[in-house]
Amino acid sequence: SEALSKVKGCASGWVEFTCKYPKPNVKYQSIDVVTPKKTIRSFGKNVWENKGRVSLYHDTRNKKLRVAIKQLQHEDFGDYQCKFHQRSYSSQDTEEMKLGVETDGCQKQFIQTAYRTAKTTITCDYTGNKYKFFCKDNGFICEDILSTKSCLKSKGTFTLTETNSSFSVSISNVSSHDAGVYRCGVETHEGSYRAALTKIQLEVEATITKVTKFLTVGQNLTYWCRYPNGAPINKIICKGEDPSICETLVSTAQRNKNTGKFSMKEDKNKRNVTITVREVTTDDTGTYWCGVKSTDKTGSNKFFHKLVMTVASLTSTTTPASSSQSTTVSAERPGDSQFIITVLVIVGVVLLLLVLILILIYK
Ligand SMILES: *[C@@H]1O[C@H](CO)[C@@H](O)[C@H](O)[C@H]1NC(C)=O
Ligand SMILES: *[C@@H]1O[C@H](CO)[C@@H](O)[C@H](O)[C@H]1NC(C)=O
Ligand SMILES: *[C@@H]1O[C@H](CO)[C@@H](O)[C@H](O)[C@H]1NC(C)=O
Ligand SMILES: *[C@@H]1O[C@H](CO)[C@@H](O)[C@H](O)[C@H]1NC(C)=O
């Protein structure tokens, strides 16, 4: 029996660990996995065998048994043994594991709403130094999208960003195909186990109202945004390309909501919020989201209205026009001036000849 290996998983997450062959040169016929509750036997070779929440894969090529446990429950935490049998059950070699509870970065399901063609960022809290991965659930397994184990930091519309206290994955130009269940997870550097920390249900909203406004500096803008029945109380205006991490500028929960550049007036009967933006400047150019603040930690804020505002200063609108005019003028000029110079040269030469002829005649 080898030294006890430690494996850690999150309650209601999943974990996958391996039991290596205790003796690499032995051909094992079957393997028993003794869990804290019961014993499960693997007879198969190089196929997944599903035994309820536990799945086993006897990998004869890499000489190991993969053990995957879904929806971890309290009864799953404890001691595990992999008993490797040769032909006769009398002789067996044993590997032992301890499955403990992960405390870093575990979170229950989070529901995030994303909007078609916009960006969305899924944030995973984790401070440890294991490899981090991001995968999408296909109903059977969680297919890897990106991992810090490889140096590839983006794939298609997905980009992974790592900081000291978290890692996040952004999806740009979200489409309806991106909806589904994703997981953030960690993997030990030696590959002894992989564990899912967080489950994220991504919902993609296609029916958001989109408005584009072109304004000049100093103008006021008034627009309104309607919200559905039963929406949370606190309405917000948020600025940024990415609504999942945008900056809240004003909310109806603020006491002095009618001061400052942005103000909101709510008509609860019509489920209508009127927003006034006072005396815009070029810094106000950007994307604004109108929606509701989430009331709990299991879901993201929801938005119903997207405004793309472009503010131009009066001088900068006239400059490109006049410069394009002057370029068209100067583009015509070379031909004209060449013609004039040619005419002048010919006239000059003719005059000079006339003067010479006159001088010759009068001499
Ligand atoms: C992250 O960690 C590194 C070294 O561990 C440190 O130098 C750096 O300042 C940290 N960054 C932040 C933002 O805490
Ligand atoms: C966004 O994705 C759609 C298809 O889903 C594609 O037609 C479009 O060109 C993409 N836009 C950008 C800016 O990549
Ligand atoms: C914008 O609104 C403010 C305050 O409501 C007002 O004083 C100002 O005259 C308005 N400006 C324009 C250009 O309408
Ligand atoms: C919302 O309120 C504004 C004025 O405050 C009004 O012009 C608009 O028609 C209202 N929208 C709806 C759907 O009631």
Side-chain angles (χ1 to χ4, degrees):
S1 147
E2 300 271 302
L4 208 64
S5 310
K6 283 209 172 70
V7 172
K8 279 180 166 184
C10 292
S12 73
W14 58 258
V15 70
E16 187 188 320
F17 59 88
T18 56
C19 288
K20 287 206 189 84
Y21 277 18
K23 292 173 185 156
N25 298 323
V26 171
K27 280 205 170 93
Y28 292 107
Q29 293 305 309
S30 70
I31 309 161
D32 281 342
V33 178
V34 183
T35 78
K37 273 282 195 183
K38 57 185 175 198
T39 299
I40 304 163
R41 179 160 294 178
S42 160
F43 283 112
K45 289 198 174 104
N46 304 312
V47 286
W48 277 107
E49 299 170 272
N50 292 320
K51 321 261 179 181
R53 287 186 298 106
V54 182
S55 302
L56 306 176
Y57 188 101
H58 182 176
D59 183 346
T60 55
R61 207 169 192 212
N62 296 300
K63 300 174 191 274
K64 66 183 183 185
L65 177 76
R66 290 164 70 183
V67 182
I69 310 168
K70 286 190 286 193
Q71 288 155 359
L72 283 172
Q73 294 170 5
H74 284 293
E75 62 186 40
D76 298 321
F77 295 102
D79 294 334
Y80 284 73
Q81 283 183 331
C82 295
K83 292 185 172 168
F84 291 79
H85 301 287
Q86 299 176 37
R87 218 152 256 130
S88 79
Y89 284 107
S90 56
S91 78
Q92 68 180 36
D93 300 311
T94 306
E95 273 266 301
E96 291 186 346
M97 308 272 154
K98 191 171 200 75
L99 177 57
V101 181
E102 178 66 83
T103 51
D104 185 4
C106 288
Q107 199 186 47
K108 288 212 179 97
Q109 179 167 327
F110 186 77
I111 302 171
Q112 183 155 323
T113 310
Y115 304 89
R116 265 190 49 209
T117 71
K119 198 176 168 188
T120 198
T121 301
I122 293 164
T123 306
C124 313
D125 290 327
Y126 177 74
T127 53
N129 57 7
K130 297 190 184 93
Y131 288 133
K132 293 115 186 158
F133 65 84
F134 184 76
C135 61
K136 187 174 188 182
D137 216 310
N138 69 5
F140 303 98
I141 57 155
C142 200
E143 286 181 279
D144 266 3
I145 297 175
L146 285 166
S147 165
T148 58
K149 199 171 153 183
S150 99
C151 48
L152 199 70
K153 290 289 173 270
S154 68
K155 190 196 248 174
T157 54
F158 294 83
T159 305
L160 189 143
T161 311
E162 202 178 357
T163 68
N164 286 2
S165 61
S166 71
F167 66 106
S168 62
V169 174
S170 300
I171 312 173
S172 61
N173 193 15
V174 168
S175 79
S176 52
H177 298 294
D178 294 321
V181 172
Y182 295 87
R183 292 173 203 271
C184 301
V186 291
E187 178 173 346
T188 54
H189 285 248
E190 70 277 13
S192 57
Y193 74 89
R194 283 157 69 79
L197 303 175
T198 309
K199 178 179 171 187
I200 304 103
Q201 172 111 34
L202 190 74
E203 291 175 350
V204 176
E205 195 66 66
T207 57
I208 188 166
T209 315
K210 286 180 201 149
V211 175
T212 304
K213 293 274 182 196
F214 294 95
L215 301 167
T216 49
V217 165
Q219 279 189 307
N220 292 341
L221 171 67
T222 298
Y223 69 99
W224 45 271
C225 123
R226 290 206 72 196
Y227 54 86
N229 221 343
I233 280 181
N234 194 5
K235 315 297 178 309
I236 57 172
I237 300 292
C238 196
K239 184 180 183 181
E241 290 276 324
D242 182 340
S244 60
I245 52 167
C246 62
E247 177 203 1
T248 301
L249 298 175
V250 64
S251 78
T252 52
Q254 277 170 307
R255 244 185 258 148
N256 292 329
K257 53 184 177 256
N258 286 318
T259 60
K261 188 177 289 280
F262 285 80
S263 57
M264 298 173 85
K265 205 170 74 192
E266 188 176 0
D267 183 337
K268 285 190 173 139
N269 291 329
K270 287 182 179 162
R271 303 198 308 272
N272 182 5
V273 182
T274 307
I275 301 119
T276 305
V277 194
R278 206 178 297 163
E279 286 162 4
V280 295
T281 67
T282 50
D283 289 344
D284 296 326
T285 294
T287 305
Y288 296 85
W289 303 85
C290 168
V292 289
K293 193 157 190 71
S294 165
T295 47
D296 59 24
K297 287 199 171 112
T298 63
S300 64
N301 298 337
K302 276 202 171 64
F303 297 101
F304 315 112
H305 186 284
K306 178 184 178 180
L307 165 73
V308 178
M309 178 157 77
T310 306
V311 183
S313 64
L314 282 167
T315 49
S316 74
T317 51
T318 53
T319 313
S322 61
S323 70
S324 72
Q325 249 176 3
S326 65
T327 53
T328 54
V329 168
S330 64
E332 280 170 27
R333 220 173 235 161
D336 277 358
S337 54
Q338 255 170 10
F339 177 73
I340 291 166
I341 289 165
T342 315
V343 168
L344 283 176
V345 167
I346 291 166
V347 169
V349 169
V350 168
L351 279 175
L352 204 70
L353 280 173
L354 272 175
V355 171
L356 280 174
I357 289 164
L358 283 174
I359 290 170
L360 280 173
I361 289 170
Y362 285 97
K363 251 189 170 177

